[in-house]
Structure formats: C-alpha cells, structure tokens
Amino acid sequence: MRPSRGGPGAAPPLLLLLLLLLSAAAVRWGQPGLDDDLGERLSAAGAHFGWRNLSCPACKVIFTAIDASIELEASAQRIQRLAVSVCANLHLARLEVCQEIIRLFEHDLLTAWLRSVLRPAEICGLLVGSRCGHWDIYSDWNVTLPATPKPPVRPPVPPPPGAPTARVLFLTDLHWDRGYTPGSDPACKDPLCCRGGRPAQGQGAGYWGSHSKCDLPLHTLENLLQHLAASGPFDLAYWTGDIPAHDVWEQTREDQLQALRTVTGLVQKYLGPLPVYPAVGNHESVPVNAFPPPSVPGNQSSAWLYGAMAQAWQQWLPPTALETLRLGGFYTHRILPGLRLVSLNMNFCSEANFWLLVNSTDPAGQLQWLVQVLQRAEESGEKVRGLAGAGGDSSSASGGGSGRLLRAEPGGGSPWLPPASAALPGSRCTLLATSPPRTACAAGAGITTTSSTARLSFPWGGVGPLHVCQPLRVPSRRRFEGTVAGQFFGHTHVDEFELFYDEETLTRPLGIAFVAPSVTTYINLNPGYRIYHLDGVYPGSSYLVLDHETFILNLTEANVPGAVPHWKRLYGAREAYGLATAFPADWDRLVRRFQSEERLFHRFWFHMYKGNPPREPCQDACKTALLCALRTGRAGDPELCRGLRPELPFAEVQAWWRQRRFC
C-alpha cells in the first residue's frame, strides 16, 4: 500500500478518452494555435498527473467546452495529433509511446463515447466524484434473486482427522514479454523495460528476470512449468489470466493470440492431463481493458478473443462452459463431486473498460447468470468456488496493482456476488477472478437483499478503479453465504486478501477473497506462485481452504552467473501467522493482531511483495491504509476502517489505495 515503484505507465484509458474528446472538440472549434498549447492549458487547469488527479474545475472546463459536439467526421489525423501533443506535454510517456497508444485506442474510445448515454453533465461526477457533480445514469439496477428463503448458515469447522485434502495450483499474471532481452536497460523511461538499450548505470536485465518494471522471458515461464511438473501431484489448477506483457502501446490482436496459444501450449505440455481452469484477464484484449458487451457487433466485438480462448482451452472445459466463454468470457463447471467452479469476466466490472460507457448495467448478463448458477447449486447441495481475472485497477487490500475481483455488494459480507478479482478486490461455489472484490464486481455469494431483487449501484466516484458491479448496501444478510466456498483472485501482482463481514453488525467475518501473487516481476518483484490446500473429496466436504503456500524464484540468487534457478517455498500461511485454521475468523483475528504486533505486520509486508518489499517500511498512514483495505472490499465505505491507528481521513486512505497500480 505505497506509491508504486518504477516510472510512469502508459496513459490510462479514461485519460485517453478525455484527451481524444478534447482534441476532437478542438478540431471542431478550429481555434488557432490550440494544437501547440492544449497540453499547457490542461496542465494549468490541474490535470498534471492524469485523470486520477484531475481537479473538479479542470474537469468542468474540459467537458463544458466539448459538450456534445464530438463527431467522428472530424479529422482523425488532427484529433490524433492533438491528443498526442497533450499526452507528451503532460509527460504521460515519451512521444513515441504517446503516438502508438493514441493510435491504438482512438477508434474504439471515440466509438464507445458516441454510443454512450453518459453525457458531459454526468462525467465529472464519474471521473472526479460526487463532490463534482451528480450522476445517476447507471444508478441502481436489479438482479432478480430467488424467492426461496436463505438456508441456515453453519459456521465452518475443521475436517475430521484423517480426512483427505486437495492441492490446487494457482497461477496468475504470467505476462510473457517476447521482447525481453537479458543485459538490456531495466530502468528505461517507457512503461515496460528490459527490452533493449544499454543501462546507463548498474547491471543490465538478468537472464531469469529483473527487479524492475519488466515482465518475464519465455524461458523463465518454461522453467517454472518444468519445476511444477516435478512438484506434483496437484488435483487441479486455477489460472487467472494476464498472459501478454505490459507493452500495451504496441500490441495487436495477432500478438495477443500468439501469447494465448504459446503459453497455453506450454501449460498443456508440462502439466499434461491436469485439469486447468482459466479466467480472462484485463491484458488479454487489445486495446488493453477493452471488452465490449456482446451487443457490440462486427470487428469491434470480442468474438476474436473469446473464440480463440475456447479453441485453446477446449481440452479443459466441457461444451456448456465453452458456450458462455464464447459469449462473454465466463463459465461454470462442476470440477469435483459436490464442487462447482464459476469463472467470471471481471472486465465487465472495471472502470478501465471504456466500453462500459455504452452499458455498465450487467452488460453481458453475467451477474443474473451467476445468481441462477448459485441458486441451482444451492438446490442441488453443491458448493461453489469463484475464480476471476482482472477487471481493472483496484483500490483494494493492497491498494494498488490494478484491480481485483468482483463482489455483489459493497458492504463486506460474504464472498462474491456472481472479482476482485476479485480481483478484488465467493452445492459450494468457487469464484475464479483476475481482480478482487474491491476492484471488480463480486458475484453471487455476496448479494444482500430483503426482497426478490438485489439493488445495485455504481460508485465510481473517484474512489478508485473498479466499482461498476459493486452492489448497493442493503439491510439484510448475504443470500448465498452458505453456498460459496471460496473466492480466488490475481491481478494485483502482490500477495494479499480481503475480508467480508455481515451487514447487520459488520463484526462477523463471513468470507475471504484470496489474492495470489503474480508470476511476473512487474514491478520490482520476484516471480511467484501459490498452492492452496483444500478440504478434499469425501461426502460432506466443505471444500474450504485449509492452508496455502507461496513459492518464489529469488532473482538475486538465480541471476548469479552459473547459478541454477531454484523455486523455493517462501512461507505457509498458518505456520507464518500462527493461524489455528484458515477460516475467515482466523484472518479477521490476524488483521487485528497486525495493529499491535509490528513484527508480525512487517512479516506480512515482506510476504506481500514476495520477499522483495519496498525500501521504505510501511508505517503510519501506509499501515492504516493497508489494514483498512484488508478489512473492507468496499472502496467507498469507511465503516470497517474506523478505529484503526493512526486515525486517517478516509479520503487519504483512498488516495493511498490509488497510488498502488501495477497492472
């Protein structure tokens, strides 16, 4: 929970939208000299560091000026040139990167804006927050819940002695960089380094990876998979997306498909017959984060991506799962007796997905579908586990690293609402997501309601990345609390978790979203992966997480000339933190211990960054913001953060969350 390390990233999509809209308006106005001083005018108005820090006056000046005057008939070349000028003058990236990313995003961004029902009167409330304008264009919408009463909830209990367990491999955020070059500059000015040029000082990029803003070469990913092939047996594997690198300004559809097919082929080669269940990440598409709803037809649809995924993953998924994967990038599948997996596409809940300007109210019908899956699971006595990829940036537990998963309700109750990951920021259902709850929509298990419908709202208001699917707080218990057995996310690149509490008292921990560390090193991390130990296959199994272990490749050791890479166990959760079990109540007690036990908290901080934490220790405001994030999956609700020491205004907590954005 601290400022992200490394240089600036590529301009975020909503900032690009703002640049393109203003540039298009400038073309329409035809003001002399605007080409030259537009960036300076924006800078003077307060847009110094991108839309996350855009001031309310600057926002109103910009959108009052453009109003509804944008037309695609305006000169595309002039729009592009003006937007590049603004990008360069605001120092968002070097000129070449600005040129490429504006070119890549321009057509889809302007199309989404023109098709949007969101007008300038609402957009400042969206970008800056409710203090800058009122907007309810998406406001509340309903997901119909079953009329069947919620079954009694039974507290989790440890499995009987001698009960079988299951080992689940979890891989997330591999980020293969085809341009990675050992010995090249790891400290360049681009959003992604280790891709060429000689270092100005110090060592060049390591052979196996680098502690910098770099992704990984293919030989490191292959070495990991070779290691895993010899480290089994595993019962199954979860893989939450983000396969391509962070060179988002120069990607093509062909690049993304090559990454998908190449890495999927390696996974199948080395893990063989092991069942692998993937989730869609935010980096799979091009432009990055661009996931139009299924209603968008033709060449701008995501059919090219979902179809390729269905073809690549058909050995792991049945035809019914492939059908919804082709439709919207989500699916469900019964993976073990009495255990159902739900893999969600959290990109439909991410504010970074500019296509939500067209429709953010459950654009693919995913949440209503999720409710139906959960209800059928409840009726058949199945447990459900949730998996999700990335929906955008997160303001969640770790505060940064873009996005977590999806949750059905912003309050903190049980696991997810049919991402959040979680990310994040959960028969038993398992939710699989790339982004955790606080950063995406949580699904199914987390719906709270007093009637047959769940009321949802979209508090984007400047608090952080994904909130589109975050449900409105309703005075009732979470509907599917007894069905969801777990939520699993990636996307933030760091090792963290998010707790959910009951709505009535906000004191009873109902669920937890586990956010696993990335394979990639981006930014300044060791490569890593996770193994979950679950209650195993037997009649009456809870399928709950009993423990987890994290493994890393220590790059300092691996990059020594002549050394052989050695993937080693960094820690086991119960052993490292003294947990009696790994149920939500244990993690709740752990967060409370973090408040007073500094050594224990800094152990968590060390593990969070896979053994390579920032040089500055996490103290005072940093610690308060991090503990707040661990306790709440709701980016806009301060209730669960009250009483933390030192006291910190919630706006400052949110500012800390926004500073950490890796993905």
Side-chain angles (χ1 to χ4, degrees):
M1 190 77 97
R2 45 77 186 124
S4 61
R5 297 174 284 176
L14 285 181
L15 176 56
L16 293 177
L17 174 62
L18 186 152
L19 298 182
L20 288 164
L21 292 175
L22 188 58
S23 300
V27 170
R28 184 177 177 89
W29 299 331
Q31 293 185 14
L34 194 58
D35 300 41
D36 302 320
D37 66 1
L38 183 56
E40 285 83 348
R41 293 188 187 196
L42 273 178
S43 181
H48 296 288
F49 304 104
W51 69 269
R52 297 186 189 98
N53 295 316
L54 179 66
S55 68
C56 184
C59 185
K60 289 183 176 180
V61 166
I62 291 169
F63 285 98
T64 298
I66 64 173
D67 198 12
S69 64
I70 309 303
E71 295 180 2
L72 279 178
E73 287 76 10
S75 166
Q77 290 184 344
R78 289 203 63 198
I79 292 173
Q80 203 174 100
R81 182 158 58 90
L82 288 175
V84 168
S85 172
V86 174
C87 176
N89 285 328
L90 292 180
H91 305 291
L92 300 176
R94 63 186 176 89
L95 178 60
E96 291 79 8
V97 173
C98 287
Q99 291 171 333
E100 289 300 312
I101 201 161
I102 293 293
R103 177 193 58 78
L104 188 62
F105 276 80
E106 178 193 21
H107 183 61
D108 283 359
L109 275 168
L110 289 178
T111 300
W113 170 259
L114 288 170
R115 293 184 57 174
S116 173
V117 292
L118 186 65
R119 302 305 343 142
E122 292 87 24
I123 199 165
C124 288
L126 167 66
L127 294 181
V128 182
S130 59
R131 68 188 184 279
C132 192
H134 173 71
W135 69 286
D136 59 1
I137 196 78
Y138 299 130
S139 64
D140 302 328
W141 49 283
N142 292 328
V143 170
T144 302
L145 294 179
T148 310
K150 177 181 177 180
V153 176
R154 298 172 181 171
V157 295
T165 59
R167 297 178 81 225
V168 176
L169 171 65
F170 194 98
L171 298 173
T172 186
D173 298 274
L174 277 66
H175 289 293
W176 165 40
D177 183 9
R178 293 178 300 161
Y180 188 96
T181 306
S184 63
D185 186 5
C188 68
K189 295 182 180 180
D190 285 350
L192 183 65
C193 299
C194 299
R195 319 182 82 232
R198 302 302 304 174
Q201 56 183 5
Q203 295 182 337
Y207 181 78
W208 297 104
S210 295
H211 291 144
S212 187
K213 42 176 191 171
C214 306
D215 283 320
L216 289 175
L218 192 63
H219 58 256
T220 301
L221 299 181
E222 189 162 15
N223 181 267
L224 166 61
L225 292 169
Q226 290 170 340
H227 156 76
L228 292 173
S231 301
F234 303 108
D235 293 278
L236 47 90
Y238 298 154
W239 177 20
T240 56
D242 276 9
I243 303 170
H246 287 84
D247 56 337
V248 297
W249 67 94
E250 60 182 10
Q251 292 171 341
T252 65
R253 290 184 177 183
E254 291 71 24
D255 294 335
Q256 310 305 78
L257 295 180
Q258 181 186 7
L260 168 68
R261 292 163 180 156
T262 300
V263 177
T264 297
L266 287 177
V267 172
Q268 293 169 342
K269 174 182 177 180
Y270 289 105
L271 299 187
L274 180 71
V276 177
Y277 300 106
V280 179
N282 67 305
H283 278 269
E284 265 66 77
S285 187
V286 61
V288 65
N289 299 313
F291 290 82
S295 59
V296 174
N299 191 49
Q300 288 184 301
S301 78
S302 290
W304 66 274
L305 178 61
Y306 299 147
M309 288 176 169
Q311 183 178 22
W313 299 341
Q314 59 184 330
Q315 81 171 52
W316 298 323
L317 301 177
T320 53
L322 294 174
E323 182 179 354
T324 54
L325 177 64
R326 290 189 183 95
L327 170 69
F330 55 88
Y331 64 88
T332 183
H333 179 45
R334 188 176 183 228
I335 57 175
L336 291 173
L339 179 64
R340 176 166 298 279
L341 178 78
V342 173
S343 179
L344 297 169
N345 185 350
M346 296 313 303
N347 295 289
F348 292 128
C349 303
S350 168
E351 73 169 7
N353 182 8
F354 53 83
W355 282 104
L356 295 185
L357 291 169
V358 176
N359 175 23
S360 70
T361 55
D362 201 9
Q366 179 178 221
L367 295 188
Q368 188 64 64
W369 167 86
L370 175 57
V371 170
Q372 295 168 356
V373 170
L374 291 172
Q375 178 60 23
R376 288 195 295 267
E378 179 182 277
E379 293 170 351
S380 61
E382 292 179 325
K383 297 299 184 182
V384 176
R385 206 169 262 151
L387 185 70
D393 294 325
S394 133
S395 51
S396 88
S398 68
S402 153
R404 289 199 225 228
L405 183 61
L406 135 104
R407 283 210 340 224
E409 153 280 14
S414 96
W416 41 275
L417 167 85
S421 344
L424 235 282
S427 123
R428 285 281 175 200
C429 279
T430 295
L431 285 181
L432 194 59
T434 55
S435 310
R438 184 186 343 278
T439 71
C441 324
I447 304 179
T448 62
T449 181
T450 53
S451 66
S452 62
T453 58
R455 193 161 164 255
L456 306 183
S457 66
F458 307 93
W460 283 12
V463 265
L466 302 259
H467 310 303
V468 181
C469 303
Q470 207 171 30
L472 183 66
R473 191 171 172 184
V474 187
S476 180
R477 294 173 297 174
R478 310 287 292 259
R479 176 59 183 82
F480 295 103
E481 176 186 346
T483 300
V484 176
Q487 298 183 69
F488 301 88
F489 305 97
H491 183 65
T492 72
H493 294 193
V494 292
D495 183 344
E496 52 192 331
F497 60 90
E498 292 180 9
L499 284 160
F500 311 112
Y501 295 84
D502 71 291
E503 280 298 303
E504 293 79 8
T505 68
L506 295 181
T507 60
R508 180 173 70 93
L510 303 182
I512 182 171
F514 293 102
V515 184
S518 64
V519 175
T520 187
T521 55
Y522 194 91
I523 299 174
N524 295 348
L525 302 168
N526 285 311
Y529 69 91
R530 165 75 50 82
I531 295 177
Y532 289 101
H533 299 268
L534 311 178
D535 196 6
V537 181
Y538 62 92
S541 173
S542 69
Y543 288 112
L544 292 173
V545 173
L546 305 177
D547 200 359
H548 68 66
E549 300 175 286
T550 295
F551 295 77
I552 65 165
L553 176 64
N554 186 315
L555 289 178
T556 303
E557 299 172 355
N559 285 326
V560 172
V564 176
H566 176 60
W567 296 84
K568 63 182 182 181
R569 184 177 186 263
L570 179 64
Y571 79 100
R574 290 179 59 183
E575 176 187 9
Y577 301 130
L579 304 178
T581 58
F583 300 150
D586 298 280
W587 294 96
D588 172 66
R589 285 188 287 268
L590 178 64
V591 175
R592 297 176 190 277
R593 290 172 61 198
F594 284 160
Q595 181 77 77
S596 57
E597 299 180 34
E598 284 297 318
R599 179 174 294 183
L600 183 66
F601 174 75
H602 286 290
R603 183 182 305 163
F604 172 75
W605 181 249
F606 180 80
H607 293 155
M608 183 175 175
Y609 288 93
K610 295 183 284 183
N612 191 51
R615 293 180 181 178
E616 324 82 50
C618 184
Q619 299 172 333
D620 302 325
C622 169
K623 181 177 179 181
T624 295
L626 176 52
L627 294 182
C628 177
L630 296 176
R631 282 180 58 81
T632 181
R634 288 190 282 195
D637 190 342
E639 288 300 318
L640 283 162
C641 302
R642 301 191 193 282
L644 294 174
R645 301 182 305 274
E647 292 286 346
L648 196 66
F650 193 58
E652 293 186 30
V653 170
Q654 293 171 320
W656 273 90
W657 289 347
R658 288 193 294 269
Q659 288 175 13
R660 275 198 50 228
R661 304 165 79 89
F662 292 165
C663 324

PDB file of all heavy atoms in Angstrom, residues 553-574:
ATOM      1  N   LEU A 553      10.905 -17.488  -6.990  1.00  0.00           N
ATOM      2  CA  LEU A 553      12.249 -17.622  -7.551  1.00  0.00           C
ATOM      3  C   LEU A 553      13.020 -16.387  -7.116  1.00  0.00           C
ATOM      4  O   LEU A 553      12.700 -15.269  -7.543  1.00  0.00           O
ATOM      5  CB  LEU A 553      12.195 -17.707  -9.078  1.00  0.00           C
ATOM      6  CG  LEU A 553      13.552 -17.762  -9.794  1.00  0.00           C
ATOM      7  CD1 LEU A 553      14.317 -19.027  -9.424  1.00  0.00           C
ATOM      8  CD2 LEU A 553      13.360 -17.677 -11.309  1.00  0.00           C
ATOM      9  N   ASN A 554      14.003 -16.557  -6.261  1.00  0.00           N
ATOM     10  CA  ASN A 554      14.810 -15.434  -5.792  1.00  0.00           C
ATOM     11  C   ASN A 554      15.747 -15.006  -6.926  1.00  0.00           C
ATOM     12  O   ASN A 554      16.728 -15.689  -7.239  1.00  0.00           O
ATOM     13  CB  ASN A 554      15.615 -15.835  -4.554  1.00  0.00           C
ATOM     14  CG  ASN A 554      16.361 -14.666  -3.937  1.00  0.00           C
ATOM     15  OD1 ASN A 554      16.993 -13.879  -4.642  1.00  0.00           O
ATOM     16  ND2 ASN A 554      16.304 -14.540  -2.624  1.00  0.00           N
ATOM     17  N   LEU A 555      15.436 -13.882  -7.551  1.00  0.00           N
ATOM     18  CA  LEU A 555      16.198 -13.450  -8.726  1.00  0.00           C
ATOM     19  C   LEU A 555      17.623 -13.052  -8.392  1.00  0.00           C
ATOM     20  O   LEU A 555      18.526 -13.191  -9.231  1.00  0.00           O
ATOM     21  CB  LEU A 555      15.469 -12.289  -9.405  1.00  0.00           C
ATOM     22  CG  LEU A 555      14.178 -12.646 -10.136  1.00  0.00           C
ATOM     23  CD1 LEU A 555      13.537 -11.395 -10.722  1.00  0.00           C
ATOM     24  CD2 LEU A 555      14.427 -13.671 -11.238  1.00  0.00           C
ATOM     25  N   THR A 556      17.845 -12.539  -7.194  1.00  0.00           N
ATOM     26  CA  THR A 556      19.210 -12.173  -6.800  1.00  0.00           C
ATOM     27  C   THR A 556      20.104 -13.399  -6.849  1.00  0.00           C
ATOM     28  O   THR A 556      21.261 -13.338  -7.308  1.00  0.00           O
ATOM     29  CB  THR A 556      19.219 -11.554  -5.401  1.00  0.00           C
ATOM     30  OG1 THR A 556      18.346 -10.410  -5.390  1.00  0.00           O
ATOM     31  CG2 THR A 556      20.626 -11.120  -5.002  1.00  0.00           C
ATOM     32  N   GLU A 557      19.592 -14.532  -6.392  1.00  0.00           N
ATOM     33  CA  GLU A 557      20.362 -15.772  -6.416  1.00  0.00           C
ATOM     34  C   GLU A 557      20.378 -16.394  -7.807  1.00  0.00           C
ATOM     35  O   GLU A 557      21.423 -16.851  -8.287  1.00  0.00           O
ATOM     36  CB  GLU A 557      19.760 -16.764  -5.419  1.00  0.00           C
ATOM     37  CG  GLU A 557      19.783 -16.281  -3.972  1.00  0.00           C
ATOM     38  CD  GLU A 557      19.022 -17.192  -3.032  1.00  0.00           C
ATOM     39  OE1 GLU A 557      18.387 -18.159  -3.524  1.00  0.00           O
ATOM     40  OE2 GLU A 557      19.044 -16.948  -1.814  1.00  0.00           O
ATOM     41  N   ALA A 558      19.232 -16.393  -8.481  1.00  0.00           N
ATOM     42  CA  ALA A 558      19.126 -17.086  -9.769  1.00  0.00           C
ATOM     43  C   ALA A 558      19.978 -16.437 -10.849  1.00  0.00           C
ATOM     44  O   ALA A 558      20.484 -17.132 -11.751  1.00  0.00           O
ATOM     45  CB  ALA A 558      17.668 -17.123 -10.219  1.00  0.00           C
ATOM     46  N   ASN A 559      20.155 -15.108 -10.771  1.00  0.00           N
ATOM     47  CA  ASN A 559      20.885 -14.399 -11.831  1.00  0.00           C
ATOM     48  C   ASN A 559      22.394 -14.359 -11.613  1.00  0.00           C
ATOM     49  O   ASN A 559      23.112 -13.761 -12.421  1.00  0.00           O
ATOM     50  CB  ASN A 559      20.344 -12.975 -11.968  1.00  0.00           C
ATOM     51  CG  ASN A 559      18.997 -12.933 -12.673  1.00  0.00           C
ATOM     52  OD1 ASN A 559      18.730 -13.731 -13.574  1.00  0.00           O
ATOM     53  ND2 ASN A 559      18.146 -11.998 -12.271  1.00  0.00           N
ATOM     54  N   VAL A 560      22.883 -14.992 -10.572  1.00  0.00           N
ATOM     55  CA  VAL A 560      24.334 -15.104 -10.388  1.00  0.00           C
ATOM     56  C   VAL A 560      24.887 -15.978 -11.514  1.00  0.00           C
ATOM     57  O   VAL A 560      24.336 -17.048 -11.805  1.00  0.00           O
ATOM     58  CB  VAL A 560      24.666 -15.731  -9.019  1.00  0.00           C
ATOM     59  CG1 VAL A 560      26.159 -16.030  -8.913  1.00  0.00           C
ATOM     60  CG2 VAL A 560      24.225 -14.801  -7.900  1.00  0.00           C
ATOM     61  N   PRO A 561      25.944 -15.543 -12.215  1.00  0.00           N
ATOM     62  CA  PRO A 561      26.487 -16.343 -13.319  1.00  0.00           C
ATOM     63  C   PRO A 561      26.769 -17.780 -12.890  1.00  0.00           C
ATOM     64  O   PRO A 561      27.385 -18.034 -11.861  1.00  0.00           O
ATOM     65  CB  PRO A 561      27.779 -15.602 -13.686  1.00  0.00           C
ATOM     66  CG  PRO A 561      27.516 -14.187 -13.282  1.00  0.00           C
ATOM     67  CD  PRO A 561      26.678 -14.271 -12.041  1.00  0.00           C
ATOM     68  N   GLY A 562      26.271 -18.727 -13.663  1.00  0.00           N
ATOM     69  CA  GLY A 562      26.481 -20.137 -13.380  1.00  0.00           C
ATOM     70  C   GLY A 562      25.468 -20.751 -12.440  1.00  0.00           C
ATOM     71  O   GLY A 562      25.461 -21.972 -12.246  1.00  0.00           O
ATOM     72  N   ALA A 563      24.604 -19.946 -11.856  1.00  0.00           N
ATOM     73  CA  ALA A 563      23.620 -20.464 -10.909  1.00  0.00           C
ATOM     74  C   ALA A 563      22.486 -21.176 -11.640  1.00  0.00           C
ATOM     75  O   ALA A 563      22.190 -20.876 -12.804  1.00  0.00           O
ATOM     76  CB  ALA A 563      23.066 -19.342 -10.043  1.00  0.00           C
ATOM     77  N   VAL A 564      21.863 -22.100 -10.963  1.00  0.00           N
ATOM     78  CA  VAL A 564      20.696 -22.812 -11.475  1.00  0.00           C
ATOM     79  C   VAL A 564      19.465 -22.266 -10.761  1.00  0.00           C
ATOM     80  O   VAL A 564      19.463 -22.128  -9.533  1.00  0.00           O
ATOM     81  CB  VAL A 564      20.819 -24.330 -11.230  1.00  0.00           C
ATOM     82  CG1 VAL A 564      19.553 -25.061 -11.675  1.00  0.00           C
ATOM     83  CG2 VAL A 564      22.034 -24.887 -11.948  1.00  0.00           C
ATOM     84  N   PRO A 565      18.414 -21.909 -11.481  1.00  0.00           N
ATOM     85  CA  PRO A 565      17.224 -21.353 -10.819  1.00  0.00           C
ATOM     86  C   PRO A 565      16.599 -22.362  -9.858  1.00  0.00           C
ATOM     87  O   PRO A 565      16.464 -23.548 -10.187  1.00  0.00           O
ATOM     88  CB  PRO A 565      16.284 -21.021 -11.979  1.00  0.00           C
ATOM     89  CG  PRO A 565      16.752 -21.871 -13.108  1.00  0.00           C
ATOM     90  CD  PRO A 565      18.231 -22.017 -12.942  1.00  0.00           C
ATOM     91  N   HIS A 566      16.228 -21.874  -8.693  1.00  0.00           N
ATOM     92  CA  HIS A 566      15.650 -22.741  -7.665  1.00  0.00           C
ATOM     93  C   HIS A 566      14.387 -22.097  -7.114  1.00  0.00           C
ATOM     94  O   HIS A 566      14.448 -21.081  -6.417  1.00  0.00           O
ATOM     95  CB  HIS A 566      16.669 -22.966  -6.535  1.00  0.00           C
ATOM     96  CG  HIS A 566      16.134 -23.769  -5.396  1.00  0.00           C
ATOM     97  ND1 HIS A 566      15.660 -25.050  -5.541  1.00  0.00           N
ATOM     98  CD2 HIS A 566      16.002 -23.461  -4.073  1.00  0.00           C
ATOM     99  CE1 HIS A 566      15.256 -25.504  -4.368  1.00  0.00           C
ATOM    100  NE2 HIS A 566      15.442 -24.558  -3.459  1.00  0.00           N
ATOM    101  N   TRP A 567      13.249 -22.682  -7.442  1.00  0.00           N
ATOM    102  CA  TRP A 567      11.970 -22.205  -6.912  1.00  0.00           C
ATOM    103  C   TRP A 567      11.815 -22.758  -5.502  1.00  0.00           C
ATOM    104  O   TRP A 567      11.872 -23.975  -5.295  1.00  0.00           O
ATOM    105  CB  TRP A 567      10.816 -22.670  -7.800  1.00  0.00           C
ATOM    106  CG  TRP A 567      10.884 -22.087  -9.182  1.00  0.00           C
ATOM    107  CD1 TRP A 567      11.611 -22.554 -10.241  1.00  0.00           C
ATOM    108  CD2 TRP A 567      10.197 -20.923  -9.651  1.00  0.00           C
ATOM    109  NE1 TRP A 567      11.426 -21.754 -11.341  1.00  0.00           N
ATOM    110  CE2 TRP A 567      10.552 -20.745 -11.012  1.00  0.00           C
ATOM    111  CE3 TRP A 567       9.309 -20.019  -9.070  1.00  0.00           C
ATOM    112  CZ2 TRP A 567      10.065 -19.698 -11.786  1.00  0.00           C
ATOM    113  CZ3 TRP A 567       8.811 -18.981  -9.829  1.00  0.00           C
ATOM    114  CH2 TRP A 567       9.184 -18.818 -11.167  1.00  0.00           C
ATOM    115  N   LYS A 568      11.613 -21.887  -4.543  1.00  0.00           N
ATOM    116  CA  LYS A 568      11.581 -22.341  -3.157  1.00  0.00           C
ATOM    117  C   LYS A 568      10.364 -21.794  -2.416  1.00  0.00           C
ATOM    118  O   LYS A 568       9.783 -20.771  -2.785  1.00  0.00           O
ATOM    119  CB  LYS A 568      12.858 -21.914  -2.434  1.00  0.00           C
ATOM    120  CG  LYS A 568      13.070 -20.419  -2.331  1.00  0.00           C
ATOM    121  CD  LYS A 568      14.390 -20.111  -1.639  1.00  0.00           C
ATOM    122  CE  LYS A 568      14.605 -18.611  -1.479  1.00  0.00           C
ATOM    123  NZ  LYS A 568      15.897 -18.320  -0.816  1.00  0.00           N
ATOM    124  N   ARG A 569      10.011 -22.488  -1.370  1.00  0.00           N
ATOM    125  CA  ARG A 569       8.876 -22.101  -0.535  1.00  0.00           C
ATOM    126  C   ARG A 569       9.225 -20.846   0.258  1.00  0.00           C
ATOM    127  O   ARG A 569      10.206 -20.825   0.999  1.00  0.00           O
ATOM    128  CB  ARG A 569       8.528 -23.242   0.410  1.00  0.00           C
ATOM    129  CG  ARG A 569       7.293 -23.027   1.289  1.00  0.00           C
ATOM    130  CD  ARG A 569       7.082 -24.301   2.108  1.00  0.00           C
ATOM    131  NE  ARG A 569       5.863 -24.271   2.891  1.00  0.00           N
ATOM    132  CZ  ARG A 569       5.803 -23.935   4.171  1.00  0.00           C
ATOM    133  NH1 ARG A 569       6.903 -23.534   4.806  1.00  0.00           N
ATOM    134  NH2 ARG A 569       4.653 -23.975   4.825  1.00  0.00           N
ATOM    135  N   LEU A 570       8.419 -19.799   0.080  1.00  0.00           N
ATOM    136  CA  LEU A 570       8.629 -18.570   0.834  1.00  0.00           C
ATOM    137  C   LEU A 570       7.995 -18.672   2.211  1.00  0.00           C
ATOM    138  O   LEU A 570       8.607 -18.320   3.222  1.00  0.00           O
ATOM    139  CB  LEU A 570       8.045 -17.373   0.078  1.00  0.00           C
ATOM    140  CG  LEU A 570       8.177 -16.003   0.754  1.00  0.00           C
ATOM    141  CD1 LEU A 570       9.645 -15.608   0.895  1.00  0.00           C
ATOM    142  CD2 LEU A 570       7.401 -14.933  -0.025  1.00  0.00           C
ATOM    143  N   TYR A 571       6.754 -19.169   2.259  1.00  0.00           N
ATOM    144  CA  TYR A 571       6.081 -19.328   3.545  1.00  0.00           C
ATOM    145  C   TYR A 571       4.812 -20.138   3.379  1.00  0.00           C
ATOM    146  O   TYR A 571       4.289 -20.298   2.273  1.00  0.00           O
ATOM    147  CB  TYR A 571       5.749 -17.968   4.160  1.00  0.00           C
ATOM    148  CG  TYR A 571       4.530 -17.289   3.577  1.00  0.00           C
ATOM    149  CD1 TYR A 571       3.299 -17.322   4.228  1.00  0.00           C
ATOM    150  CD2 TYR A 571       4.598 -16.606   2.353  1.00  0.00           C
ATOM    151  CE1 TYR A 571       2.178 -16.706   3.688  1.00  0.00           C
ATOM    152  CE2 TYR A 571       3.481 -15.990   1.820  1.00  0.00           C
ATOM    153  CZ  TYR A 571       2.277 -16.044   2.480  1.00  0.00           C
ATOM    154  OH  TYR A 571       1.165 -15.445   1.945  1.00  0.00           O
ATOM    155  N   GLY A 572       4.310 -20.667   4.491  1.00  0.00           N
ATOM    156  CA  GLY A 572       2.981 -21.251   4.582  1.00  0.00           C
ATOM    157  C   GLY A 572       2.153 -20.373   5.498  1.00  0.00           C
ATOM    158  O   GLY A 572       2.641 -19.905   6.537  1.00  0.00           O
ATOM    159  N   ALA A 573       0.898 -20.127   5.149  1.00  0.00           N
ATOM    160  CA  ALA A 573       0.095 -19.127   5.854  1.00  0.00           C
ATOM    161  C   ALA A 573      -0.108 -19.466   7.326  1.00  0.00           C
ATOM    162  O   ALA A 573       0.126 -18.634   8.207  1.00  0.00           O
ATOM    163  CB  ALA A 573      -1.255 -18.980   5.156  1.00  0.00           C
ATOM    164  N   ARG A 574      -0.554 -20.665   7.636  1.00  0.00           N
ATOM    165  CA  ARG A 574      -0.847 -20.995   9.031  1.00  0.00           C
ATOM    166  C   ARG A 574       0.421 -20.985   9.875  1.00  0.00           C
ATOM    167  O   ARG A 574       0.423 -20.507  11.022  1.00  0.00           O
ATOM    168  CB  ARG A 574      -1.549 -22.343   9.106  1.00  0.00           C
ATOM    169  CG  ARG A 574      -2.970 -22.316   8.556  1.00  0.00           C
ATOM    170  CD  ARG A 574      -3.640 -23.669   8.629  1.00  0.00           C
ATOM    171  NE  ARG A 574      -3.722 -24.168   9.996  1.00  0.00           N
ATOM    172  CZ  ARG A 574      -4.216 -25.356  10.331  1.00  0.00           C
ATOM    173  NH1 ARG A 574      -4.687 -26.161   9.377  1.00  0.00           N
ATOM    174  NH2 ARG A 574      -4.253 -25.743  11.590  1.00  0.00           N
TER     175      ARG A 574
END
